[in-house]
Amino acid sequence: MHSRLLSLVALATLGHALPALRTPQCTDSIASLTVSTTNFDLSSGTPPPNATIPVSGTFDVHLRFCEPTVLVPSRAGTLQTLLHGGTYGVDYMDAGFEPETYSYVRYAAARGYATLNMDRIGYGASDHPDPMNVLQTPLDVATLAEIIRLSRAGRISGAHRGFDTIVGVGHSLGSVILNSLVAAEPQLLDAVVLTGYAHKLSDIDLPALSGMGPANLIGPARFGGLASDYLSTANASTRAAAFYGVEGSFDPAALAFDEAHKDTVALGEFLTSAAPIPAPKFTGDVLTVNGEDDLVACLEPGCANLKNEAQYYPSANSVDYAVIKNAGHSVNFHLAAQDLYAKIHAWLTQHGY
Ligand SMILES: *[C@@H]1O[C@H](CO)[C@@H](O)[C@H](O)[C@H]1NC(C)=O
Ligand SMILES: *[C@@H]1O[C@H](CO)[C@@H](O)[C@H](O)[C@H]1NC(C)=O
């Protein structure tokens, strides 16, 4: 069984990943970002229709800028900004586990793209503000907007240049934030790639399925210092039940790595992420891609619900969707990860990025 898995991985590597073997040159930094926005009043436990609570502050965010490993002149001014989802951190887009297969950053670097990966605010080495009243999706969106402005202005550590073309690539809650950003400030991004996402999500009880609970109880060694409204998934079994496809679609060692590196999600983010927000003024390109067995975002066989995504982007230059076979919600940790990366990069090339 194990050797069959290994040969599958070897085949996948031969098929797509040979140029991705070099390690990109990356710069980790802590950016101090001053942001202000309007959050929701969550005192009733659910968000009211409108945000009314002003919040502002200066927050440290861990950024990781990586140079391409292959020079493609037409992409010299292009940046892919990568946003992980809830209970993930910088590892989701740049796994330390078999990176030649699982690291999105390496795949992009080998095709001439610089990337800006990060621990979003409230994750990993970034600041952890109040997880109910401060860390909500409006704060995430305002923080991302500031990071994009700094990227265009040439003020990201290690980049030594500004970028005139920026593609946002998200997963799950990271995709929710990207969608909200192109709704609120449609000129900031040129294109968005939304994975593990649909405007209308399934009504499965994700907290129950994933065994969501206070992270400080689930993982006291790593999360003991966090407020109780920072949540995480219970264990590898519940994480696989919620985020992975069927047995055989992932290497158990990839799940073990993911479990060992899992992060938290703030209850305030979770509660403010459900509303399907249209982006009527976004004029760029939109791609939504899900694993066919994504319990969160594929509501119909073959993710046919993704056909409805176009209605949310009436001014977009293009709106497409794609489905990755043999994968669940967190495609980047599946054996099909390279299929996802290939699909995204073929789409980027096709649209001139
Ligand atoms: C919420 O915002 C919408 C649109 O901005 C507005 O029409 C509506 O009156 C607001 N509702 C409340 C309760 O303030
Ligand atoms: C994982 O967590 C779930 C939910 O808390 C629990 O029911 C189950 O027994 C746990 N499994 C293992 C292997 O610890």
Side-chain angles (χ1 to χ4, degrees):
M1 173 64 189
H2 193 59
S3 66
R4 196 175 74 85
L5 269 183
L6 282 179
S7 62
L8 276 179
V9 171
L11 274 178
T13 303
L14 276 178
H16 306 285
L18 280 180
L21 293 175
R22 279 177 58 204
T23 308
Q25 188 188 331
C26 300
T27 304
D28 285 274
S29 67
I30 299 288
S32 179
L33 307 174
T34 299
V35 293
S36 57
T37 188
T38 309
N39 270 353
F40 293 89
D41 177 357
L42 292 179
S43 56
S44 75
T46 49
N50 295 343
T52 54
I53 311 286
V55 289
S56 59
T58 299
F59 304 98
D60 283 353
V61 176
H62 168 214
L63 302 178
R64 180 179 294 165
F65 173 80
C66 295
E67 291 284 7
T69 48
V70 169
L71 187 65
V72 178
S74 64
R75 293 174 181 156
T78 301
L79 179 70
Q80 292 194 38
T81 299
L82 313 179
L83 287 196
H84 63 80
T87 78
Y88 285 95
V90 75
D91 285 307
Y92 186 76
M93 297 287 186
D94 194 14
F97 175 74
E98 296 182 5
E100 64 283 3
T101 299
Y102 296 102
S103 170
Y104 184 91
V105 166
R106 284 205 191 188
Y107 192 101
R111 283 143 191 92
Y113 295 97
T115 56
L116 182 61
N117 191 15
M118 68 189 79
D119 286 317
R120 293 193 294 97
I121 181 170
Y123 294 77
S126 298
D127 274 352
H128 286 69
D130 176 327
M132 192 67 164
N133 298 313
V134 178
L135 188 45
Q136 300 182 5
T137 52
L139 187 79
D140 285 318
V141 173
T143 306
L144 176 60
E146 184 62 14
I147 290 168
I148 304 290
R149 281 189 272 270
L150 293 175
S151 304
R152 292 203 183 267
R155 291 174 55 204
I156 299 296
S157 282
H160 311 297
R161 62 192 182 280
F163 294 92
D164 54 25
T165 303
I166 301 188
V167 178
V169 181
H171 172 241
S172 197
L173 186 49
S175 299
V176 170
I177 294 162
L178 278 173
N179 176 70
S180 294
L181 180 66
V182 298
E185 297 199 59
Q187 76 294 348
L188 276 183
L189 290 169
D190 297 277
V192 285
V193 176
L194 309 171
T195 76
Y197 177 75
H199 275 77
K200 289 200 178 137
L201 298 174
S202 82
D203 51 14
I204 60 157
D205 189 346
L206 194 64
L209 190 61
S210 64
M212 199 81 80
N216 57 16
L217 301 179
I218 288 168
R222 292 183 59 210
F223 306 125
L226 297 181
S228 297
D229 283 336
Y230 277 100
L231 310 174
S232 196
T233 53
N235 54 47
S237 313
T238 62
R239 201 164 174 84
F243 298 154
Y244 283 68
V246 297
E247 205 176 315
S249 67
F250 58 93
D251 180 349
L255 170 63
F257 175 91
D258 176 20
E259 172 68 14
H261 293 80
K262 72 184 177 187
D263 211 304
T264 60
V265 60
L267 183 56
E269 285 185 301
F270 192 77
L271 292 175
T272 57
S273 62
I277 296 173
K281 293 186 179 152
F282 183 58
T283 57
D285 298 289
V286 181
L287 173 66
T288 305
V289 204
N290 290 331
E292 67 174 350
D293 298 321
D294 185 329
L295 296 176
V296 179
C298 277
L299 281 61
E300 296 169 35
C303 308
N305 58 301
L306 296 183
K307 286 189 189 125
N308 303 328
E309 285 300 300
Q311 75 191 43
Y312 296 102
Y313 307 101
S315 311
N317 185 52
S318 71
V319 185
D320 294 302
Y321 78 92
V323 180
I324 303 300
K325 292 207 174 302
N326 296 315
H329 183 61
S330 294
V331 182
N332 290 21
F333 280 115
H334 288 69
L335 293 168
Q338 294 276 311
D339 295 343
L340 173 69
Y341 306 163
K343 181 72 77 178
I344 292 170
H345 286 82
W347 180 87
L348 288 171
T349 302
Q350 193 189 335
H351 289 82
Y353 294 102

